[in-house]
Amino acid sequence: MRVTSFPLKTLRDAPSEAEIISHKLLLQGGYIRRVSSGIYAYMPLMLRVIEKISVIIDKELSKIGCSKLLLPQLHPCELWEKSGRWEGYTAGEGIMFNLRDRQDRAYGLAPTHEEVITIIASEIINSYKQLPVCYYQIQTKFRDEIRPRFGLMRGREFIMKDGYSFHSTESDLKIFYKKMEKSYENIFKNCGLETIGVDADSGAIGGAASKEFMVTANSGEDSILFTKSGSYAANIEKAVSIPKESKPIKEFEQTLIQTPNQKTIEDICKFNNLDATQIVKVILYLGEFEDNTKLPIAACIRGDQYINEIKIFNLLNNIYDSKLINLSKIENKSSINKNLFGIPMGYLGPDISDEIINKNSLWEKQWFRVVDYSASKLESFISGANKINVHRYFKSWKSLDNTFITSDIRNAQEGDFISKDKEEALIEKKGIEIGHIFQLGQKYSEKLNAKFSNSDGGLENLWMGCYGIGVTRLAQAAIEQNHDNDGIVWPIQIAPFNIVLIPTNFKDPIQKKLSEEIYIEFQKNNIDVLIDDRDERAGVKFKDADLIGIPFRIIIGRDAINNQVEFSSRSKKSNIKVSINNILKIFINESKLMYN
Ligand code: ATP
Ligand code: MG
């Protein structure tokens, strides 16, 4: 391809909207153009990257017997009502764009395709003899994200590979899930990426087991915890660990401790000679359930630990009859809190009385007190006295009348151990989620009545798995992992072109002739070659080549007259002089090294 044919439009400076390096480089290099918040045009260079990733995905998935198809993006509301997801996905903070047709019927723009594929599979599959089967597509998804940002990382319109498998038994689903996990590892490796697979929460998609694939990068929105040996890796949403030991607490003579204006754990520790592990902090939440009940939740946790709201969410969903729709923290500044308690949050204690809570007519009388294991194991501790400027010494949990649910509701932290023998401490890093696989089980087939006849002749709900890759996010994550001060350094596997030819003066007939000859020879050999045929200064061309990150370059300059050119790689940058007779061979050898 010729640079003049796109044409290439690079920017000297990155637009101010770009906060992270990969976003900056995509905009500067002319790969993408912003149309609106979270909505981008993929320019020719970008589309080539997307297509390369898609080919790698196709190749790997066909090895495990997946079939590619293309599903509609406009989904009728009734289908999502059947699965019970319409309300949650469209109301409040729901992410599904929705619209009405001329007959006033409601539709959603697909954020994901479980509903559509399940209905189709139920119509095609009758018997266990047709199973297993796995369909996938590579297609634009729409999500009205609350905070679209970082370019293609969190778009409102983005390209996803989504796959769905159907099985006759749970064990067959598990076997296939393992195969898919291996396929994902191959896909990311073949894209030239380093990833970590982590245990993950299944979120709104639901189901039993799920695993996310992360590219580690400081700009990542996820936190992941793992051991050096790789024996354990999990998203912080899901990670479990043994926290550090608490310091024994001396007995306090007085029960009440005056703590004026000591609003933080650090203050209380400093002024009262305490350790954060000796304190129990109490945080209030409001849970809103599908049956319209609103229940307050007091979450108690050790002072040095942090609440994991996803764990609380999952816990409440397990113990309460109705489905939890929303869990929100009751902030200090919230008017509910002020009117109700008059107690700043930092002064709440685990024995906060029902009477106080019950004064609020907005809430049900029933409420939950949940204590994290870390706090429940404390023999004695300090916590709020439910009075401003006063804390209290609690001799033991047993001395309290209230009923507490004990559970793991804390975030695992770096330095925590994964087992009692304390061999492996956890390391924490930021990660970008580029893929996610789920064992859905029968969640969707049950709701959508997707049955097959099993080997005993009975009707059974289909067993399902689902598997996503954020194709456009992956492309950008590759840049987070591979760049330098001058621009992108693409892994050769997904680079838009493998080599760029740069005649330093395209007006020079000798240089032009030689460049065109090399161009044709490379094309004949099926090499993705780009020629910078612009009438630009050499310096501009070099700068642009660095910015767009093509792995190899050939400079055709003054020595063209002697059939000599310069060859270099984007990552090493050292130029070698090469006779044009050897150039193809050298490129092939060098690029082979990069694929390994
Ligand atoms: P996230 O937690 O980042 O919001 P998710 O868990 O909701 O993502 P999935 O439903 O698992 O996303 O979608 C499959 C893949 O699609 C994700 O692993 C991610 O790589 C990609 N993806 C999801 N949302 C976006 C988005 N808004 N923009 C770009 N890629 C996305
Ligand atoms: Mg996910």
Side-chain angles (χ1 to χ4, degrees):
M1 204 181 220
R2 292 168 183 280
V3 170
T4 50
S5 69
F6 319 4
L8 179 64
K9 182 170 168 56
T10 54
L11 309 173
R12 184 190 285 261
D13 299 307
S16 55
E17 57 161 301
E19 293 164 63
I20 61 172
I21 187 71
S22 53
H23 186 196
K24 277 186 191 155
L25 292 175
L26 282 178
L27 287 166
Q28 264 186 288
Y31 278 84
I32 56 171
R33 296 202 62 90
R34 182 181 181 273
V35 174
S36 176
S37 164
I39 303 176
Y40 289 86
Y42 311 123
M43 300 307 284
L45 285 176
M46 189 69 221
L47 189 58
R48 290 183 73 93
V49 175
I50 292 169
E51 281 169 351
K52 290 223 169 154
I53 297 168
S54 305
V55 169
I56 292 169
I57 293 175
D58 289 343
K59 203 168 146 197
E60 228 24 74
L61 292 188
S62 75
K63 282 190 201 159
I64 57 166
C66 303
S67 306
K68 196 169 182 177
L69 47 54
L70 198 54
L71 299 168
Q73 285 157 306
L74 210 46
H75 293 185
C77 149
E78 302 84 66
L79 197 50
W80 281 68
E81 275 179 340
K82 263 194 200 155
S83 70
R85 292 208 292 182
W86 178 260
E87 181 72 15
Y89 266 77
T90 56
E93 293 188 346
I95 54 158
M96 183 148 73
F97 286 103
N98 52 93
L99 61 153
R100 292 191 169 266
D101 70 5
R102 63 182 73 241
Q103 265 111 25
D104 205 31
R105 288 177 298 222
Y107 291 83
L109 281 179
T112 179
H113 277 79
E114 284 79 10
E115 281 77 0
V116 167
I117 195 73
T118 307
I119 287 294
I120 292 174
S122 75
E123 288 163 4
I124 295 174
I125 298 160
N126 305 313
S127 153
Y128 72 97
K129 290 180 191 155
Q130 296 167 289
L131 296 169
V133 58
C134 183
Y135 301 110
Y136 79 99
Q137 58 177 344
I138 297 179
Q139 181 207 52
T140 297
K141 294 277 184 281
F142 299 90
R143 292 186 181 182
D144 193 1
E145 297 279 359
I146 297 169
R147 280 204 302 155
R149 58 186 192 148
F150 300 158
L152 307 184
M153 288 291 189
R154 186 167 296 286
R156 295 199 297 163
E157 186 182 319
F158 59 96
I159 297 178
M160 194 202 282
K161 185 289 292 180
D162 50 328
Y164 306 88
S165 68
F166 297 89
H167 308 267
S168 56
T169 59
E170 187 175 17
S171 63
D172 191 58
L173 161 63
K174 288 190 168 153
I175 293 167
F176 189 80
Y177 177 85
K178 276 277 159 209
K179 279 193 201 165
M180 189 60 87
E181 190 179 330
K182 185 76 200 123
S183 262
Y184 268 47
E185 285 166 9
N186 293 342
I187 288 169
F188 301 134
K189 196 167 130 260
N190 293 345
C191 287
L193 285 175
E194 277 174 34
T195 54
I196 300 184
V198 300
D199 286 345
D201 186 72
S202 297
I205 307 274
S210 103
K211 191 161 193 178
E212 289 166 341
F213 293 82
M214 298 281 183
V215 167
T216 55
N218 289 338
S219 62
E221 292 185 287
D222 284 271
S223 290
I224 56 174
L225 290 141
F226 55 94
T227 55
K228 206 171 166 198
S229 72
S231 61
Y232 183 81
N235 190 312
I236 197 164
E237 294 174 348
K238 174 101 180 192
V240 288
S241 69
I242 300 170
K244 71 173 183 189
E245 305 247 318
S246 61
K247 285 206 174 147
I249 191 167
K250 69 171 171 49
E251 187 138 346
F252 273 70
E253 279 170 24
Q254 291 159 309
T255 315
L256 295 181
I257 309 157
Q258 295 303 315
T259 50
N261 281 326
Q262 296 169 23
K263 289 186 185 139
T264 62
I265 298 281
E266 291 96 82
D267 287 348
I268 298 163
C269 290
K270 197 166 99 193
F271 293 109
N272 304 283
N273 195 22
L274 289 166
D275 187 76
T277 61
Q278 299 165 332
I279 297 171
V280 169
K281 53 185 174 187
V282 180
I283 295 152
L284 280 189
Y285 288 91
L286 187 64
E288 293 167 72
F289 292 82
E290 214 167 46
D291 64 1
N292 286 328
T293 47
K294 288 184 178 167
L295 300 179
I297 300 121
C300 310
I301 191 158
R302 220 170 68 181
D304 61 320
Q305 301 295 319
Y306 299 94
I307 294 273
N308 181 318
E309 291 178 3
I310 290 175
K311 288 183 182 173
I312 299 187
F313 199 98
N314 292 339
L315 171 75
L316 291 178
N317 255 338
N318 284 338
I319 60 176
Y320 195 62
D321 310 334
S322 176
K323 204 173 144 227
L324 183 62
I325 301 170
N326 192 31
L327 181 74
S328 50
K329 202 166 173 175
I330 301 170
E331 300 286 354
N332 229 350
K333 40 191 181 300
S334 105
S335 59
I336 309 177
N337 179 41
K338 272 201 196 119
N339 295 341
L340 185 62
F341 309 109
I343 315 166
M345 280 292 164
Y347 293 94
L348 293 178
D351 58 340
I352 175 172
S353 74
D354 288 358
E355 192 194 326
I356 299 175
I357 293 273
N358 287 348
K359 272 189 200 156
N360 192 328
S361 56
L362 293 173
W363 300 346
E364 298 297 310
K365 302 293 176 241
Q366 181 188 356
W367 66 300
F368 292 111
R369 286 188 183 81
V370 187
V371 187
D372 182 64
Y373 291 127
S374 65
S376 73
K377 288 198 182 107
L378 294 175
E379 189 64 29
S380 324
F381 55 89
I382 305 292
S383 190
N386 298 318
K387 231 188 246 174
I388 187 157
N389 295 341
V390 189
H391 275 73
R392 222 189 105 182
Y393 170 68
F394 291 78
K395 203 166 164 48
S396 78
W397 285 96
K398 287 190 205 99
S399 60
L400 304 176
D401 291 337
N402 319 83
T403 318
F404 293 96
I405 303 156
T406 308
S407 185
D408 172 22
I409 53 163
R410 57 177 265 282
N411 278 340
Q413 292 183 17
E414 181 160 70
D416 287 355
F417 289 98
I418 52 164
S419 65
K420 286 205 176 91
D421 54 27
K422 294 193 172 176
E423 263 171 20
E424 293 221 76
L426 289 173
I427 303 165
E428 182 171 351
K429 279 204 172 150
K430 289 282 175 203
I432 302 166
E433 179 197 322
I434 57 167
H436 199 167
I437 58 175
F438 302 78
Q439 288 175 26
L440 292 175
Q442 295 173 310
K443 178 176 165 175
Y444 292 90
S445 54
E446 194 183 326
K447 290 257 167 67
L448 297 161
N449 198 25
K451 296 192 189 303
F452 70 102
S453 56
N454 62 24
S455 54
D456 301 328
L459 277 183
E460 191 176 333
N461 294 320
L462 285 161
W463 290 90
M464 275 180 76
C466 90
Y467 319 94
I469 293 180
V471 175
T472 37
R473 186 186 283 183
L474 182 159
Q476 191 174 325
I479 301 176
E480 272 309 297
Q481 214 168 55
N482 301 280
H483 65 267
D484 63 16
N485 288 339
D486 298 321
I488 303 170
V489 187
W490 284 114
I492 194 162
Q493 297 88 332
I494 60 171
F497 293 94
N498 290 6
I499 188 155
V500 53
L501 310 182
I502 307 181
T504 54
N505 178 3
F506 203 60
K507 276 189 188 149
D508 177 318
I510 298 171
Q511 284 191 27
K512 183 169 179 175
K513 182 165 172 282
L514 190 64
S515 311
E516 294 287 358
E517 278 170 16
I518 300 174
Y519 182 57
I520 289 167
E521 192 189 0
F522 272 62
Q523 275 191 326
K524 269 195 202 148
N525 283 278
N526 288 325
I527 294 161
D528 283 333
V529 56
L530 177 68
I531 180 166
D532 195 342
D533 56 346
R534 289 178 296 174
D535 183 14
E536 279 285 1
R537 282 184 295 115
V540 172
K541 293 185 183 179
F542 294 154
K543 222 172 165 5
D544 281 349
D546 278 344
L547 179 60
I548 65 174
I550 311 299
F552 292 102
R553 125 181 11 165
I554 296 172
I555 302 164
I556 301 106
R558 288 207 190 103
D559 284 339
I561 194 158
N562 306 319
N563 281 340
Q564 289 250 320
V565 294
E566 282 177 39
F567 177 86
S568 67
S569 79
R570 173 66 182 82
S571 53
K572 290 201 209 99
K573 284 200 171 162
S574 52
N575 288 7
I576 49 166
K577 282 209 165 143
V578 185
S579 149
I580 59 150
N581 300 328
N582 297 331
I583 195 75
L584 184 65
K585 206 168 83 200
I586 288 180
F587 165 76
I588 290 172
N589 287 342
E590 288 285 321
S591 60
K592 259 190 202 150
L593 293 175
M594 276 200 187
Y595 278 99
N596 293 328

